Amino acid sequence: MTVVAIDGPAGAGKSTIAKLLADKLSYRYVDTGAIYRAVALVALLAGVDLDDAAAVGTIAAGCDIRTSAGTVTLDGDDVTTRIRAADVTRAVSRVAAHPSVREALIGIQRGEAARGDVVMEGRDIGSVVVPDAEVKVFLTASVEERARRRWEQDGRHGEIADIEAAIVERDARDSQRSSAPLVIPEGAVEVDTTGRTISEVVDEIAVLVEPR
Ligand code: DC
């Protein structure tokens, strides 16, 4: 029953690498950022003040979010595409900064970890959610490369410089929040993906898992 925890900043390649690694190992894949995004979506639709910790925490505690095989449902509705929209991306790190929200969502994440044989990606999996994960990886890449990847992913819309600025802002918010800031978890292997192919990185991490 192995848990592989992959943490790192936005655009480091976590989703791509975690999905391929899960396929290679025949493990499940859990994108914990999607869970925070689903809460941000409900908060936006409800029109609550995103900085109101109590209101957003109540929303997080009250919604039924499920992730399976790359699909995210919110109270039974498929929101997989909707949670990637720009309004949710802009809102999510404000929502994720509230301890009330993080506490409400930790149970869902630990439940997934307890089922074992899973690759979980996020910002605090190896540090807070599953600190005893068998394999911990911290993925990074240069800001320039992360911005360029996002631009490619989003159909080459907009200016790379604007994407870079948004990434820098989100990194700062994720790393400076008082509750579960983005840190390199104790015992994590740091993997810099700048200039490397996806399959090289997947293979490097798979080697860490396989001897178990
Ligand atoms: O990986 P992503 O861009 O989908 O993550 C969305 C946001 O959720 C990101 O700004 C940080 C937050 N997040 C978090 O705080 N903890 C996690 N385990 C996963 C994501």
Short mmCIF file of all heavy atoms in Angstrom, two decimals, residues 10 14 31-34 36-37 84 92-93 96 102 109 121-125 150 170 174 177, ligand 1:
data_model
loop_
_atom_site.label_atom_id
_atom_site.label_comp_id
_atom_site.label_asym_id
_atom_site.label_seq_id
_atom_site.Cartn_x
_atom_site.Cartn_y
_atom_site.Cartn_z
N ALA A 10 3.02 25.77 -9.05
CA ALA A 10 2.19 25.72 -10.27
C ALA A 10 3.09 25.64 -11.51
O ALA A 10 4.07 26.37 -11.61
CB ALA A 10 1.33 26.98 -10.35
N LYS A 14 3.53 18.79 -12.32
CA LYS A 14 3.00 17.77 -11.39
C LYS A 14 1.90 16.91 -12.00
O LYS A 14 1.95 15.69 -11.90
CB LYS A 14 2.42 18.43 -10.12
CG LYS A 14 3.43 19.12 -9.24
CD LYS A 14 2.80 19.59 -7.95
CE LYS A 14 1.62 20.53 -8.10
NZ LYS A 14 1.93 21.84 -8.68
N ASP A 31 -5.55 14.37 -7.89
CA ASP A 31 -5.13 15.76 -8.06
C ASP A 31 -5.79 16.56 -6.94
O ASP A 31 -6.98 16.88 -7.02
CB ASP A 31 -5.60 16.22 -9.45
CG ASP A 31 -5.47 17.71 -9.66
OD1 ASP A 31 -4.93 18.41 -8.79
OD2 ASP A 31 -5.94 18.19 -10.72
N THR A 32 -5.03 16.88 -5.89
CA THR A 32 -5.67 17.56 -4.75
C THR A 32 -5.96 19.03 -5.05
O THR A 32 -6.86 19.61 -4.45
CB THR A 32 -4.81 17.45 -3.47
OG1 THR A 32 -3.56 18.09 -3.68
CG2 THR A 32 -4.59 16.00 -3.08
N GLY A 33 -5.23 19.62 -6.00
CA GLY A 33 -5.52 20.99 -6.40
C GLY A 33 -6.94 21.11 -6.93
O GLY A 33 -7.63 22.13 -6.74
N ALA A 34 -7.41 20.04 -7.60
CA ALA A 34 -8.76 20.05 -8.16
C ALA A 34 -9.81 20.16 -7.05
O ALA A 34 -10.87 20.77 -7.24
CB ALA A 34 -8.99 18.77 -8.97
N TYR A 36 -9.39 21.81 -4.17
CA TYR A 36 -9.40 23.23 -3.78
C TYR A 36 -10.10 24.07 -4.85
O TYR A 36 -10.83 25.02 -4.55
CB TYR A 36 -7.97 23.74 -3.55
CG TYR A 36 -7.41 23.24 -2.25
CD1 TYR A 36 -6.69 22.05 -2.18
CD2 TYR A 36 -7.64 23.93 -1.06
CE1 TYR A 36 -6.21 21.57 -0.97
CE2 TYR A 36 -7.16 23.46 0.15
CZ TYR A 36 -6.45 22.27 0.18
OH TYR A 36 -5.99 21.80 1.38
N ARG A 37 -9.88 23.70 -6.11
CA ARG A 37 -10.53 24.44 -7.20
C ARG A 37 -12.05 24.30 -7.13
O ARG A 37 -12.78 25.25 -7.40
CB ARG A 37 -10.02 23.93 -8.56
CG ARG A 37 -8.63 24.41 -8.90
CD ARG A 37 -8.08 23.74 -10.15
NE ARG A 37 -6.77 24.26 -10.47
CZ ARG A 37 -6.54 25.34 -11.24
NH1 ARG A 37 -7.55 25.96 -11.81
NH2 ARG A 37 -5.33 25.77 -11.45
N ARG A 84 -11.00 24.57 -14.34
CA ARG A 84 -9.74 25.03 -14.96
C ARG A 84 -9.90 26.44 -15.54
O ARG A 84 -8.95 26.99 -16.09
CB ARG A 84 -9.32 24.11 -16.12
CG ARG A 84 -9.14 22.69 -15.71
CD ARG A 84 -7.75 22.43 -15.12
NE ARG A 84 -7.83 21.35 -14.16
CZ ARG A 84 -7.08 21.21 -13.09
NH1 ARG A 84 -6.14 22.08 -12.82
NH2 ARG A 84 -7.25 20.22 -12.27
N VAL A 92 -8.41 30.56 -6.58
CA VAL A 92 -8.16 29.38 -5.76
C VAL A 92 -7.11 29.56 -4.67
O VAL A 92 -7.27 29.04 -3.57
CB VAL A 92 -7.86 28.14 -6.65
CG1 VAL A 92 -6.58 28.30 -7.45
CG2 VAL A 92 -7.80 26.88 -5.82
N SER A 93 -6.05 30.33 -4.91
CA SER A 93 -5.04 30.39 -3.85
C SER A 93 -5.54 31.23 -2.66
O SER A 93 -5.12 31.00 -1.53
CB SER A 93 -3.68 30.86 -4.36
OG SER A 93 -3.79 32.05 -5.06
N ALA A 96 -7.56 28.63 -0.80
CA ALA A 96 -6.71 27.58 -0.19
C ALA A 96 -5.91 28.10 1.00
O ALA A 96 -5.36 27.31 1.76
CB ALA A 96 -5.77 27.02 -1.25
N ARG A 102 -8.64 24.23 4.63
CA ARG A 102 -7.67 23.13 4.60
C ARG A 102 -8.11 22.01 5.54
O ARG A 102 -8.01 20.83 5.21
CB ARG A 102 -6.27 23.64 4.94
CG ARG A 102 -5.83 24.82 4.09
CD ARG A 102 -4.34 25.02 4.08
NE ARG A 102 -3.68 23.96 3.36
CZ ARG A 102 -3.53 23.94 2.03
NH1 ARG A 102 -3.95 24.93 1.29
NH2 ARG A 102 -2.94 22.92 1.46
N GLN A 109 -8.67 13.93 1.48
CA GLN A 109 -7.36 13.57 0.94
C GLN A 109 -6.76 12.38 1.68
O GLN A 109 -6.18 11.47 1.08
CB GLN A 109 -6.44 14.79 1.01
CG GLN A 109 -6.96 15.96 0.21
CD GLN A 109 -6.11 17.20 0.42
OE1 GLN A 109 -5.01 17.31 -0.11
NE2 GLN A 109 -6.59 18.13 1.22
N GLU A 121 -0.92 14.42 -5.96
CA GLU A 121 -0.15 15.63 -6.20
C GLU A 121 -0.83 16.86 -5.62
O GLU A 121 -2.06 16.93 -5.60
CB GLU A 121 0.16 15.81 -7.69
CG GLU A 121 -1.06 15.81 -8.59
CD GLU A 121 -1.25 17.11 -9.33
OE1 GLU A 121 -0.78 18.16 -8.87
OE2 GLU A 121 -1.92 17.07 -10.37
N GLY A 122 0.01 17.79 -5.13
CA GLY A 122 -0.54 19.00 -4.54
C GLY A 122 0.56 19.94 -4.07
O GLY A 122 1.60 20.08 -4.71
N ARG A 123 0.29 20.61 -2.93
CA ARG A 123 1.26 21.56 -2.40
C ARG A 123 1.76 21.13 -1.02
O ARG A 123 2.80 21.58 -0.57
CB ARG A 123 0.65 22.96 -2.25
CG ARG A 123 0.13 23.58 -3.52
CD ARG A 123 1.26 23.89 -4.47
NE ARG A 123 0.82 24.73 -5.59
CZ ARG A 123 0.03 24.33 -6.57
NH1 ARG A 123 -0.42 23.11 -6.59
NH2 ARG A 123 -0.31 25.16 -7.54
N ASP A 124 0.98 20.29 -0.32
CA ASP A 124 1.35 19.94 1.06
C ASP A 124 1.11 18.47 1.34
O ASP A 124 0.85 18.09 2.47
CB ASP A 124 0.52 20.79 2.05
CG ASP A 124 -0.98 20.50 1.94
OD1 ASP A 124 -1.41 19.94 0.92
OD2 ASP A 124 -1.71 20.82 2.90
N ILE A 125 1.19 17.64 0.32
CA ILE A 125 0.90 16.21 0.52
C ILE A 125 1.99 15.58 1.38
O ILE A 125 1.70 14.94 2.40
CB ILE A 125 0.76 15.47 -0.84
CG1 ILE A 125 -0.26 16.18 -1.74
CG2 ILE A 125 0.35 14.01 -0.60
CD1 ILE A 125 -1.62 16.39 -1.13
N ARG A 150 2.55 26.62 -19.49
CA ARG A 150 1.14 27.00 -19.31
C ARG A 150 0.57 27.63 -20.59
O ARG A 150 -0.55 27.36 -20.98
CB ARG A 150 1.01 28.03 -18.16
CG ARG A 150 0.90 27.39 -16.80
CD ARG A 150 -0.47 26.77 -16.57
NE ARG A 150 -0.38 25.54 -15.79
CZ ARG A 150 -0.64 25.43 -14.51
NH1 ARG A 150 -1.02 26.47 -13.83
NH2 ARG A 150 -0.53 24.26 -13.91
N ARG A 170 1.08 33.69 -7.65
CA ARG A 170 0.46 32.52 -7.01
C ARG A 170 1.49 31.78 -6.14
O ARG A 170 1.18 31.34 -5.03
CB ARG A 170 -0.15 31.59 -8.07
CG ARG A 170 -1.05 30.54 -7.49
CD ARG A 170 -2.29 30.34 -8.32
NE ARG A 170 -2.03 29.68 -9.57
CZ ARG A 170 -2.23 28.38 -9.78
NH1 ARG A 170 -2.67 27.61 -8.80
NH2 ARG A 170 -2.02 27.85 -10.94
N ASP A 174 1.04 30.94 -2.24
CA ASP A 174 1.09 29.55 -1.76
C ASP A 174 2.23 29.34 -0.75
O ASP A 174 2.12 28.53 0.16
CB ASP A 174 1.25 28.58 -2.93
CG ASP A 174 0.00 28.49 -3.82
OD1 ASP A 174 -1.08 28.92 -3.37
OD2 ASP A 174 0.10 27.98 -4.95
N ARG A 177 1.57 31.70 2.84
CA ARG A 177 0.40 31.58 3.72
C ARG A 177 0.84 30.91 5.03
O ARG A 177 1.77 30.11 5.05
CB ARG A 177 -0.71 30.79 3.04
CG ARG A 177 -0.33 29.35 2.81
CD ARG A 177 -1.45 28.59 2.11
NE ARG A 177 -1.01 27.25 1.84
CZ ARG A 177 -1.21 26.59 0.71
NH1 ARG A 177 -1.89 27.14 -0.27
NH2 ARG A 177 -0.76 25.37 0.56
O1 DC B 1 -2.27 22.55 -8.75
P1 DC B 1 -3.39 23.55 -8.97
O2 DC B 1 -2.98 24.76 -9.75
O3 DC B 1 -4.63 22.93 -9.51
O4 DC B 1 -3.73 24.05 -7.48
C1 DC B 1 -4.72 25.00 -7.24
C2 DC B 1 -4.46 25.76 -5.94
O5 DC B 1 -4.79 24.95 -4.83
C3 DC B 1 -3.04 26.28 -5.72
O6 DC B 1 -3.02 27.69 -5.82
C4 DC B 1 -2.68 25.88 -4.34
C5 DC B 1 -3.84 25.11 -3.81
N1 DC B 1 -3.48 23.79 -3.33
C6 DC B 1 -3.13 23.67 -2.01
O7 DC B 1 -3.08 24.68 -1.31
N2 DC B 1 -2.86 22.46 -1.48
C7 DC B 1 -2.89 21.35 -2.25
N3 DC B 1 -2.60 20.15 -1.71
C8 DC B 1 -3.22 21.45 -3.62
C9 DC B 1 -3.50 22.70 -4.13
#
